[in-house]
Amino acid sequence: MNPPFHLAKKEDLKHIGIGQVDDSAIKARTLKLMDEFRKFSRSFSAMLETCTRCGTCANACHSYLGTDDFNNIPAARAGYLRAIFTRYFTWYGRLFRRFSGAREFDDDTLCSLVSYFYQCNACRRCALYCPFGIDTAEIVLAGRNILTSLGLAPSFIVSIARNEILTGNNTGILKPAIIDSCSFLEEELRGETGLDIKIPVDKPDSEILYLPSSSELFTNVDTLMGAAKVFHHLGVDWTLSSVMLEAANYGLHFDLEILKKQNRRMRVAAAAVGARKVIQGECGHGWRVARMYSEGADGPVNFQLEHVLDFVAARLQRLSLSRLPIRATLHDSCNYGRGTGLLDSPRLLVRACVEEFVEMTPNRERNFCCGGGSGLLMDEMKDLRMQLGKMKAGQIKDLQPLDYVAAPCASCKAQLPLVLKHYGMGDTACGGVMDLLGRALVMDNERRIEGNATGNHVK
Amino acid sequence: MEFLFGVMLPYTAFTVFVAGTVLRAAGWLKTPVPFQLTLFPVPGSIQGKIRSLALDFFFCASLFREDKALWLRVWLFHLSLGLIIAGHVAGIYYLREQFVLVGLAPGTSRLLSKLLGGTAGTAMVLSLGALIVGRIINPVVRKLSVPEDFFNLLLLSAIAASGIFLYLPVFHVDLPAVRSYMGGLVTFRPASLPQSPMFLVHFLLVNILLLYFPFSRLLHSVGYFVNRSVLLESPPTYPTKEGAAPRSAFASSGRHAGLHASGREPMDMGGNP
Ligand code: HEM
Ligand code: SF4
Ligand code: SF4
């Protein structure tokens, strides 16, 4: 087997509760798992059984358009599983194999499944194109779940899932380090604004629990600092939690049991600080899991749940913003656009922060994925990921000269700067929406610092 | 022979068609949808959702948005199919004098009925031809295709073509004879088959289609509603309303509850010291 990424080792899988399957038992286990899945989820069998192979989805998929690999056409990608499903779960597929496109389960099929299910960003653009509403991302994620149970999963995703299970965040840091980083950022904020802006951790009796992306403590610090400034300005009673310092939930990418565990943690964390409301920060798939999966994965939710961009957009009147002199665009994370319908607030905020706002074509729910979605951020896939980012690069190239791409999602923030550099647009910066707000916000009694107002930070 | 082809076959085919389609649909519908798979943006109201489904049902609206050339072939085919099915029911029952009901003279009605039927039949053959050609000349679609895709198109073409042949004087079929035969089937008093070889071919092919329909990709007609309704579901709202029923067993026990294939060990949640 030669997938474009490193497979997780046996011991690593064991840590997250996944056993290994003997080679001789793989086929039987796969079929059993497929049978489980078709009883588990309506979309699995209905979406496997309705494709007429019309090819409309080919033009939807940035993965196919970027790699030019036939197997990355959504219908071809899902086709591997579809062919096995037809062979073993429909009687006409059993009887008329060649006629119905049925396929034996063998090593080749298994290799193709592993390889091509992990060249899909689960962006769901194909579902928009398919005349029957076939969501290939659903089939891919179901397929990845099956592969995981066979002991086949990318080492990168497994290691992050392990961090989530052990520490509640992707980076794998523990409370002392969290507090350290937050005090450091508070220092930065004090230096910049002269104000005593807090980034509280585990503050009891907080009204709001804020779940950022843990990367905001180290790499995307401007996003968390932006949020802290805005919360401070609005007088929000908020805290981070060391139980769950993370909106992300890598379970979505490969294993529903892990999704369930990590999602439950949100309830534990909210209860621990007494929060009645959980606000999620800039993390695309994390927001989709929280908004769309919480109830289905772990039952009734007894607190409010809101995205930080919606929360701030609803209070925009109370912020005084001085527009940054830059030309900026917005990249709709797939999990915001098609995934959760978070379309208006990000635009409203970016528009309010910059002098010139331009839209990509296509945009909103028709936007192309950046190529970083669904946990494909491993180093070894970088070359392939640049191909996955080709459509996005084209969209941004059309807007040049451009100062800033606002991409309010941690995965997009990891992928887009590489894409920009790879396609010769290294001068265009990329960051969050909260980053822009933090820079444009005119704080009470603030001593404005030159670089802050002119947007030098940004470029 | 007469009994086999004139009685057994149509009743079997019809039963298989109805029962097969209903069972396949029921199989999908009885499976839970464990999570909302809303594809945004979605209409918030029931009327909006029905409108969206109807636009797709009558006009293939989403295909129109994405691929106009394919849409034209597909829509023309389905439109003519719909007209032909309606025309068969009305035309056979009223012996082509259905338009008398809207005030035309019997002779005019018969002429109009023939004209409409002939046009729809021709449109069907042409659009099916275009679909076959489209499948062959587009390299991507050709590579995606499996033999069944061509078989479906050819079977439907053969049905449409044999139907059009019935218009030709050499293959003439006596409409009252067809009516008394079909009427006999519907009222469970089987009458004898009309004496026309081309009619028998046409009738046999339709029965094959009915027998085959529930197992084939033609079931996209049902799957379409199943998939779309999943994507059109409204998102959840939080906090969850009191007393809402769980969406599936997953919310309480997980995917592997009561199943044996998984071999999963319980996970230690760990904690953050
Ligand atoms: C609710 C009813 C239906 C809907 C919404 C529907 C929708 C569609 C759509 C959107 C396509 C285009 C995709 C493609 O080219 O494959 C299509 C193709 C097709 N449909 Fe339907 N359909 C329905 C019912 C039927 C029925 C009842 C039949 C036949 C008995 C049928 C036969 C076909 C055929 C032969 C194609 C062409 C497949 C090809 O491209 O080779 N459809 N349908
Ligand atoms: S979900 Fe996105 S990446 Fe995956 S097959 Fe569909 S369009 Fe392609
Ligand atoms: S658009 Fe839908 S029906 Fe057509 S090939 Fe793609 S998945 Fe299949």
Side-chain angles (χ1 to χ4, degrees), chain A residues 2-196:
Chain A
N2 192 18
F5 52 84
H6 305 319
L7 281 167
K9 295 201 183 65
K10 219 174 175 160
E11 311 84 73
D12 297 337
L13 285 163
K14 213 165 156 119
H15 287 309
I16 59 168
I18 295 161
Q20 211 75 17
V21 179
D22 280 349
D23 281 353
S24 60
I26 286 233
K27 177 175 166 185
R29 177 68 76 84
T30 307
L31 298 182
K32 186 120 194 194
L33 288 160
M34 284 175 78
D35 195 36
E36 279 183 29
F37 232 102
R38 87 187 162 129
K39 291 174 187 143
F40 169 69
S41 168
R42 180 181 308 167
S43 55
F44 186 67
S45 54
M47 288 175 178
L48 281 178
E49 291 179 83
T50 31
C51 173
T52 63
R53 298 166 277 255
C54 69
T56 312
C57 49
N59 290 326
C61 181
H62 66 284
S63 166
Y64 167 60
L65 297 171
T67 58
D68 211 17
D69 180 343
F70 174 84
N71 294 311
N72 275 326
I73 293 175
R77 190 194 308 289
Y80 284 109
L81 203 57
R82 200 166 266 135
I84 306 171
F85 190 89
T86 309
R87 164 66 184 83
Y88 297 98
F89 295 98
T90 67
W91 73 255
Y92 85 107
R94 279 188 212 114
L95 286 180
F96 309 111
R97 298 199 186 157
R98 254 188 59 73
F99 174 74
S100 61
R103 197 180 152 123
E104 296 294 319
F105 182 88
D106 53 22
D107 279 355
D108 274 358
T109 317
L110 189 63
C111 294
S112 304
L113 290 175
V114 175
S115 183
Y116 290 105
F117 281 179
Y118 283 100
Q119 293 183 45
C120 165
N121 290 114
C123 74
R124 306 182 84 206
R125 198 163 189 271
C126 44
L128 206 65
Y129 273 61
C130 173
F132 309 116
I134 294 172
D135 181 355
T136 298
E138 261 308 288
I139 297 172
V140 164
L141 293 180
R144 289 187 185 183
N145 267 265
I146 291 171
L147 294 174
T148 301
S149 296
L150 296 173
L152 298 167
S155 158
F156 172 77
I157 293 184
V158 168
S159 68
I160 290 196
R162 183 170 187 217
N163 283 346
E164 285 179 359
I165 291 169
L166 289 177
T167 65
N169 66 74
N170 287 8
T171 328
I173 49 170
L174 300 176
K175 187 163 179 176
I178 297 173
I179 292 180
D180 261 8
S181 303
C182 289
S183 336
F184 175 77
L185 295 183
E186 285 173 347
E187 265 320 303
E188 291 273 296
L189 284 166
R190 194 168 301 122
E192 189 187 312
T193 64
L195 295 171
D196 192 20

Side-chain angles (χ1 to χ4, degrees), chain B residues 94 97-105 109 112:
Chain B
Y94 291 107
E97 291 179 6
Q98 64 270 31
F99 297 113
V100 173
L101 299 176
V102 295
L104 296 187
S109 173
L112 184 62

Side-chain angles (χ1 to χ4, degrees), chain A residues 29 32 36 42 49-50 52-53 92 99 124 128 130 165 242 255 257 260 291 301 338 366, chain B residues 24 29 32 37-38 40 65-66 135 148-149 215 217 223 228 238 240 250 255 261 264 269 272:
Chain A
R29 177 68 76 84
K32 186 120 194 194
E36 279 183 29
R42 180 181 308 167
E49 291 179 83
T50 31
T52 63
R53 298 166 277 255
Y92 85 107
F99 174 74
R124 306 182 84 206
L128 206 65
C130 173
I165 291 169
S242 62
D255 190 81
E257 294 293 343
K260 189 177 159 77
R291 171 146 200 235
V301 174
R338 293 176 285 278
R366 297 183 69 77
Chain B
R24 289 283 303 268
L29 293 177
L37 296 177
T38 322
F40 291 85
R65 196 180 58 217
E66 310 304 346
R135 228 176 233 289
E148 179 196 344
D149 299 325
F215 312 102
R217 293 289 176 210
R228 284 276 164 202
Y238 303 116
T240 318
F250 184 73
R255 191 161 73 79
R264 295 286 290 261
M269 257 288 267
N272 205 339

Side-chain angles (χ1 to χ4, degrees), chain A residues 52 54 131-132, chain B residues 57 74 77-78 135 153 156 218 220-221 225:
Chain A
T52 63
C54 69
F132 309 116
Chain B
F57 180 71
V74 166
F77 163 71
H78 289 84
R135 228 176 233 289
L153 294 167
L156 287 161
L218 296 175
H220 68 261
S221 44
F225 285 104

